[in-house]
Amino acid sequence: MKDEKIIEMFFSRDERALEEVDKKYGDLIYYIASNFLALKEDREECVNDVYLALWNSIPPTKPASLSAYISEVTRRLAMKKSRSSNAWKRGGEVKLVGEELLSMLDDGTDLSELYESRRAGELISKFLLSRSESERRIFLMRYFFDMSPRDIAKQMHCGESAIKMRLLRTRKKLAEYLKKEGIMV
Amino acid sequence: MKNKIFNDTRLLDAMDHIDSSLIAETADKIRPPAAPKREAEQPKTGRIVIAWKQAIALVACALLMGAIIPAVSMLVNSILPTSGNSGTASDFGAAAGPISDDSDIMFYRKVARRTLDNGWVYTFTREGMKNGDDSELFKYVFYGINIKYKYAEKFGGISSEDNLETGYLVFGVGSDAEKRDAALISSILSNDKTDEELLALNPDDYTFEVLDKSMFFELMQEALTGEAQAEGKDPNYLDKPYFAFLEEEAYTDGYKFQICSLNETGIIDELFIDILYKIGSGEMDYVQLSDLVASGEATAEQTEVYELIQTITRDIKENTSYIYNSGSYREKTVDGIDFSRLYGILDDMHNNRFEDYIK
């Protein structure tokens, strides 16, 4: 079923909307939750929270892209849950993702002012739009969907090392871009 | 500073504000594994019942690049593909040598490969981080892949199958003997081994049932004692899929082109171009030019076509460009074979339009 139709069903309060979401995006929701949460129970609870959040937020929200909206909702709920329970996956992989990103910024700049999250997000979006689709995809798989380089390599049909290399390059380019935008000195 | 920022999680939070169109673009491309089955339950909304779908097996993407039954044999101790036709590979015709200190690449790859006349390519790769921390990697990878035959029936009925222990995938294990070989190799190449320990192994202590044991140990020796592979220079070639098995959609004038390419870190590791001549109405009713030449059945004109293809292949690999010197060949027609059709595919490969070939 097309996303537009599913959204229409949400708006008409048709409960089958959730079934359709589950059919089309159930695997993705569980997968994103799994990337952040180690425990099966946490994942399943997160998935339930996602469905509830979708039901409660559509309407009034009318997502331009249902897959993006679902991804964002899932990610936020999974991160919230992982933070609240301190349930970092795999001994701190989420933390590792943060450290990777931060390593490029560790030049003594006062980041507390600079990283107002919305502005940073906008700039990163702008930067990503200037990159190739595959570069964007790899970056977001890693830093938005929290996928491991290993899993990204599977999805992209290339070697894990190639993924790491490209992530490194993208991070360096992003750092240069942010500097140009005045984010870094 | 790093800890402070991290504790604030502001950078991670920034990812919450990424443009939704970018998220959609990536989300739509992710192929998640099937979620675990679960009984239908009454969610918190009260009356709403979420009907959890049946787990859908993640089909090894035999469909990738048009492959029906991927010609992939063993992939041992690698995490790469969920599909039957991915893996990892490396150098062939690329400049090899140690990675310079000023390189921004944080890893190295040492590779040894055998390409057999029947299309099988066997590769041993030693991969590691330059800082010595290999804990996140699969250090040792051995696999076989067939770049000549798309259909398993063409090379002896080998099927593909995912297996087995966590972190280990074995493909193309068509017999119990192959499975035993693969499992043995998996045990040999465990990540807690060191290069020195592997090099000290005595091949006589192992018995392979199907795979050429000598070849395996030779490749391991070559890779572990060899130099790191250099990377490709053209960023465009970093975007190539590791494995691509492409062909024209239909037979035209009684033939179609088939191309298999292996790419890694910006290098065209292997390339096999062939012509399939239609000889009947069935899907499998064709003969390959390379086989006609090998068996001595090719005409003089067909041999000329074959040799021209070999020249093109060599040029492409040596220059890491699918369209290298294309002007010299694009307009050629030899023995009724229109080479502009070949370059139609090569143009697509050069421009990363691989998805058009997925059936």
Side-chain angles (χ1 to χ4, degrees), chain B residues 5-122:
Chain B
I5 295 304
F6 174 70
N7 288 338
D8 289 344
T9 63
R10 271 172 291 184
L11 204 54
L12 284 173
D13 287 343
M15 299 305 288
D16 280 342
H17 300 285
I18 294 291
D19 190 293
S20 290
S21 65
L22 298 177
I23 302 304
E25 176 186 75
T26 300
D28 293 343
K29 297 289 184 183
I30 291 175
R31 299 178 303 282
K37 288 181 183 177
R38 207 180 66 165
E39 296 301 318
E41 66 175 44
Q42 198 76 6
K44 296 173 182 175
T45 47
R47 292 190 303 114
I48 303 169
V49 175
I50 301 172
W52 283 84
K53 68 171 173 280
Q54 295 296 311
I56 300 170
L58 184 64
V59 177
C61 64
L63 297 180
L64 177 73
M65 304 311 166
I68 304 302
I69 299 174
V72 178
S73 179
M74 291 182 179
L75 177 68
V76 178
N77 208 18
S78 169
I79 42 66
L80 292 175
T82 51
S83 70
N85 44 5
S86 286
T88 184
S90 134
D91 179 77
F92 212 86
I99 296 173
S100 65
D101 290 341
D102 59 356
S103 168
D104 62 359
I105 304 174
M106 52 182 157
F107 61 89
Y108 64 86
R109 307 179 78 242
K110 300 197 292 185
V111 179
R113 176 179 296 118
R114 291 284 186 280
T115 301
L116 309 183
D117 289 341
N118 60 8
W120 285 103
V121 178
Y122 292 96

Side-chain angles (χ1 to χ4, degrees), chain A residues 15 22 27 48-49 65 67 72 75-76 102 112 125 134 136 154-155 157 161 164 166 168-169, chain B residues 10 16 19-20 24-25 28 31 35 41 44 51 53 80 86 104 107 127 137 231 238-239 242:
Chain A
E15 294 168 2
D22 188 54
D27 288 343
N48 276 339
D49 289 346
S65 163
S67 63
E72 290 178 46
R75 180 176 183 274
R76 286 182 191 214
L102 289 163
S112 61
S125 298
S134 63
R136 282 199 296 274
K154 290 179 187 175
Q155 300 270 330
H157 303 288
S161 55
K164 288 179 176 174
R166 297 190 64 185
L168 178 65
R169 286 178 165 169
Chain B
R10 271 172 291 184
D16 280 342
D19 190 293
S20 290
E25 176 186 75
D28 293 343
R31 299 178 303 282
E41 66 175 44
K44 296 173 182 175
K53 68 171 173 280
L80 292 175
S86 286
D104 62 359
F107 61 89
E127 188 173 291
L137 299 172
E231 64 169 316
L238 291 171
D239 287 343
Y242 161 70

Side-chain angles (χ1 to χ4, degrees), chain B residues 104 186 266 338:
Chain B
D104 62 359
S186 290
D338 179 0

